[in-house]
Coordinates of all heavy atoms in Angstrom, one line a residue:
P53 N 11.1 -0.6 24.5 CA 12.0 -0.2 23.4 C 12.5 -1.2 22.5 O 13.0 -0.9 21.4 CB 13.3 0.4 24.2 CG 13.2 -0.3 25.6 CD 11.6 -0.5 25.8
T54 N 12.3 -2.5 22.9 CA 12.6 -3.6 22.0 C 11.5 -4.0 21.0 O 11.7 -5.0 20.2 CB 13.1 -4.9 22.8 OG1 12.1 -5.4 23.4 CG2 14.2 -4.5 23.6
A55 N 10.4 -3.3 21.0 CA 9.3 -3.7 20.2 C 9.3 -3.3 18.8 O 8.3 -2.7 18.2 CB 7.9 -3.4 21.0
H56 N 10.4 -3.5 18.2 CA 10.6 -3.1 16.8 C 9.8 -4.3 15.9 O 9.7 -5.3 16.4 CB 12.0 -3.1 16.5 CG 12.8 -1.9 16.9 ND1 14.0 -1.5 16.5 CD2 12.6 -1.0 17.9 CE1 14.5 -0.5 17.1 NE2 13.5 -0.2 18.0
A57 N 9.5 -3.9 14.7 CA 8.7 -4.7 13.8 C 9.5 -6.1 13.8 O 8.8 -7.2 13.8 CB 8.5 -4.2 12.5
E58 N 10.7 -6.2 13.5 CA 11.4 -7.4 13.3 C 11.4 -8.2 14.6 O 11.2 -9.4 14.4 CB 13.0 -7.1 13.1 CG 13.2 -6.1 11.8 CD 13.3 -4.7 12.1 OE1 12.6 -4.2 13.1 OE2 14.1 -4.0 11.5
V59 N 11.6 -7.6 15.8 CA 11.6 -8.4 17.0 C 10.3 -8.9 17.2 O 10.0 -10.1 17.7 CB 12.2 -7.5 18.3 CG1 12.0 -8.3 19.6 CG2 13.6 -7.2 17.9
N60 N 9.2 -8.0 17.0 CA 7.8 -8.5 17.1 C 7.5 -9.8 16.2 O 6.8 -10.6 16.8 CB 6.9 -7.4 16.8 CG 6.9 -6.3 17.9 OD1 7.3 -6.4 19.2 ND2 6.5 -5.0 17.6
A61 N 7.9 -9.7 15.0 CA 7.7 -10.8 14.2 C 8.5 -12.0 14.6 O 7.9 -13.2 14.4 CB 8.1 -10.4 12.7
I62 N 9.7 -11.9 15.1 CA 10.4 -12.9 15.5 C 9.8 -13.6 16.8 O 9.6 -14.9 16.9 CB 11.9 -12.6 15.9 CG1 12.8 -12.3 14.6 CG2 12.7 -13.7 16.7 CD1 14.0 -11.6 14.6
R63 N 9.4 -12.8 17.5 CA 8.6 -13.3 18.9 C 7.4 -14.1 18.5 O 7.2 -15.2 19.0 CB 8.3 -12.2 19.8 CG 9.5 -11.7 20.5 CD 9.0 -10.4 21.4 NE 10.2 -10.0 22.1 CZ 10.2 -8.6 22.6 NH1 9.2 -7.8 22.3 NH2 11.3 -8.4 23.2
M64 N 6.6 -13.5 17.5 CA 5.3 -14.2 17.1 C 5.6 -15.6 16.5 O 5.1 -16.6 16.7 CB 4.6 -13.3 16.1 CG 4.0 -12.1 16.8 SD 3.4 -10.9 15.4 CE 2.1 -11.7 14.8
A65 N 6.7 -15.7 15.6 CA 6.9 -16.8 14.9 C 7.6 -17.9 15.8 O 7.2 -19.1 15.7 CB 8.0 -16.6 13.8
T66 N 8.4 -17.5 16.7 CA 9.0 -18.6 17.6 C 7.9 -19.1 18.5 O 8.0 -20.4 18.7 CB 10.2 -18.0 18.5 OG1 9.8 -16.8 19.1 CG2 11.4 -17.6 17.5
R67 N 7.1 -18.3 18.9 CA 5.9 -18.8 19.8 C 5.1 -19.9 18.9 O 4.7 -20.9 19.5 CB 5.1 -17.7 20.4 CG 5.8 -17.0 21.5 CD 4.9 -16.0 22.0 NE 5.7 -15.1 22.9 CZ 5.8 -13.7 22.7 NH1 5.1 -13.1 21.8 NH2 6.5 -13.2 23.6
Q68 N 4.9 -19.4 17.6 CA 4.0 -20.2 16.6 C 4.7 -21.7 16.6 O 3.9 -22.7 16.6 CB 3.8 -19.6 15.5 CG 2.8 -20.5 14.5 CD 2.6 -19.7 13.2 OE1 2.6 -18.5 13.1 NE2 2.5 -20.5 12.2
I69 N 5.9 -21.6 16.2 CA 6.5 -23.0 15.9 C 7.1 -23.7 17.2 O 7.5 -24.8 17.1 CB 7.6 -22.9 14.9 CG1 8.9 -22.0 15.4 CG2 7.1 -22.2 13.6 CD1 10.0 -22.1 14.5
G70 N 7.2 -23.0 18.3 CA 7.7 -23.6 19.5 C 9.2 -23.8 19.6 O 9.7 -24.8 20.2
N71 N 10.0 -23.0 18.8 CA 11.3 -23.1 18.9 C 11.9 -21.7 18.7 O 11.4 -20.9 17.8 CB 11.8 -24.0 17.7 CG 13.3 -24.4 17.9 OD1 14.0 -23.7 18.3 ND2 13.6 -25.5 17.3
Y72 N 13.0 -21.3 19.4 CA 13.6 -20.0 19.3 C 14.4 -19.9 18.0 O 15.0 -18.8 17.7 CB 14.3 -19.5 20.5 CG 15.6 -20.3 20.9 CD1 16.8 -19.6 20.6 CD2 15.6 -21.5 21.3 CE1 18.1 -20.3 20.8 CE2 16.8 -22.2 21.6 CZ 18.0 -21.5 21.3 OH 19.2 -22.2 21.6
R73 N 14.9 -21.0 17.5 CA 15.6 -21.0 16.3 C 14.7 -20.9 15.0 O 13.7 -21.7 14.9 CB 16.5 -22.3 16.1 CG 17.4 -22.5 17.3 CD 18.5 -21.4 17.1 NE 19.6 -21.8 18.2 CZ 20.6 -21.1 18.5 NH1 20.7 -19.8 18.0 NH2 21.4 -21.5 19.3
L74 N 15.0 -20.1 14.1 CA 14.2 -19.9 12.8 C 15.1 -20.3 11.4 O 14.9 -19.4 10.6 CB 13.6 -18.5 12.9 CG 12.7 -18.1 14.0 CD1 12.4 -16.6 14.1 CD2 11.5 -18.9 13.9
G75 N 15.9 -21.2 11.6 CA 16.6 -21.5 10.4 C 15.6 -21.8 9.3 O 14.4 -22.1 9.4
T76 N 16.1 -21.7 8.1 CA 15.4 -21.7 6.8 C 14.2 -20.7 6.7 O 13.2 -21.0 5.9 CB 14.7 -23.3 6.7 OG1 13.7 -23.4 7.5 CG2 15.7 -24.3 6.8
T77 N 14.2 -19.6 7.4 CA 13.3 -18.6 7.3 C 13.9 -17.3 6.5 O 15.0 -17.2 6.5 CB 12.7 -18.2 8.6 OG1 13.8 -17.6 9.4 CG2 12.0 -19.4 9.3
T78 N 12.9 -16.6 6.0 CA 13.2 -15.3 5.4 C 12.5 -14.1 6.2 O 11.3 -14.4 6.4 CB 12.8 -15.3 3.9 OG1 13.7 -16.2 3.3 CG2 13.1 -13.8 3.3
L79 N 13.1 -13.1 6.5 CA 12.6 -11.9 7.1 C 12.5 -10.8 6.1 O 13.5 -10.4 5.7 CB 13.4 -11.6 8.4 CG 12.9 -10.4 9.2 CD1 11.4 -10.7 9.8 CD2 13.8 -9.9 10.3
Y80 N 11.4 -10.3 5.9 CA 11.2 -9.1 5.0 C 10.9 -8.0 5.9 O 10.0 -8.0 6.8 CB 10.0 -9.4 4.1 CG 10.1 -10.6 3.3 CD1 9.8 -11.7 3.7 CD2 10.6 -10.5 1.9 CE1 9.8 -12.9 2.8 CE2 10.8 -11.5 1.1 CZ 10.4 -12.8 1.5 OH 10.4 -13.8 0.7
V81 N 11.6 -6.9 5.8 CA 11.5 -5.5 6.5 C 11.5 -4.5 5.5 O 12.3 -4.4 4.7 CB 12.6 -5.6 7.7 CG1 12.4 -4.4 8.5 CG2 12.9 -6.8 8.3
T82 N 10.7 -3.5 5.9 CA 10.6 -2.3 5.2 C 11.7 -1.5 5.1 O 12.0 -0.7 4.1 CB 9.3 -1.4 5.5 OG1 9.4 -1.2 6.8 CG2 8.0 -2.2 5.2
I83 N 12.5 -1.4 6.1 CA 13.8 -0.7 6.3 C 14.9 -1.5 6.9 O 14.6 -2.4 7.6 CB 13.5 0.7 7.1 CG1 14.8 1.5 7.0 CG2 13.3 0.4 8.7 CD1 14.5 3.0 7.4
E84 N 16.1 -1.1 6.5 CA 17.2 -2.0 7.1 C 17.2 -2.0 8.6 O 17.0 -0.9 9.3 CB 18.5 -1.2 6.5 CG 19.8 -1.8 7.0 CD 20.9 -1.0 6.4 OE1 20.9 0.1 5.9 OE2 22.2 -1.4 6.8
P85 N 17.4 -3.2 9.3 CA 17.3 -3.3 10.6 C 18.5 -2.6 11.3 O 19.6 -2.4 10.8 CB 17.6 -4.8 10.8 CG 17.0 -5.4 9.5 CD 17.5 -4.4 8.5
C86 N 18.2 -2.3 12.5 CA 19.1 -1.6 13.5 C 20.1 -2.5 14.2 O 19.8 -3.9 13.9 CB 18.4 -0.9 14.5 SG 17.6 -1.8 15.8
L87 N 21.0 -2.2 15.0 CA 21.9 -3.1 15.6 C 21.1 -4.2 16.5 O 21.5 -5.4 16.4 CB 22.8 -2.3 16.6 CG 24.0 -1.8 16.0 CD1 24.5 -0.6 16.9 CD2 25.0 -2.7 15.5
M88 N 20.2 -3.7 17.2 CA 19.4 -4.6 18.1 C 18.6 -5.7 17.2 O 18.7 -6.9 17.6 CB 18.4 -3.9 18.9 CG 17.4 -4.8 19.7 SD 16.1 -4.0 20.5 CE 15.0 -3.5 19.1
C89 N 18.0 -5.2 16.3 CA 17.3 -6.2 15.4 C 18.2 -7.2 14.6 O 17.9 -8.4 14.5 CB 16.4 -5.6 14.3 SG 15.0 -4.6 15.3
M90 N 19.3 -6.8 14.1 CA 20.3 -7.6 13.6 C 20.8 -8.6 14.6 O 21.0 -9.9 14.2 CB 21.6 -6.8 12.9 CG 21.2 -6.1 11.7 SD 20.4 -7.3 10.3 CE 21.8 -8.6 10.0
G91 N 21.0 -8.3 15.7 CA 21.4 -9.3 16.9 C 20.3 -10.3 17.0 O 20.6 -11.5 17.1
A92 N 19.0 -9.9 17.0 CA 17.9 -10.8 17.1 C 17.8 -11.8 16.1 O 17.7 -12.9 16.2 CB 16.6 -10.1 17.2
I93 N 18.2 -11.2 14.8 CA 18.1 -12.0 13.5 C 19.3 -13.1 13.5 O 19.0 -14.2 13.2 CB 18.4 -11.1 12.3 CG1 17.0 -10.3 12.1 CG2 18.8 -11.8 11.0 CD1 17.2 -9.0 11.2
I94 N 20.4 -12.8 14.1 CA 21.5 -13.6 14.2 C 21.2 -14.8 15.2 O 21.4 -15.8 14.9 CB 22.8 -12.8 14.7 CG1 23.3 -11.9 13.4 CG2 23.9 -13.8 15.0 CD1 23.8 -12.6 12.2

Side-chain angles (χ1 to χ4, degrees):
T54 68
H56 289 196
E58 301 93 326
V59 172
N60 291 338
I62 289 168
R63 287 177 177 154
M64 291 168 67
T66 57
R67 287 183 192 121
Q68 180 180 328
I69 67 170
N71 191 335
Y72 73 103
R73 299 289 192 193
L74 295 168
T76 71
T77 60
T78 298
L79 179 64
Y80 300 86
V81 187
T82 55
I83 191 162
E84 181 181 0
C86 70
L87 280 166
M88 176 187 69
C89 292
M90 285 306 298
I93 289 165
I94 295 294

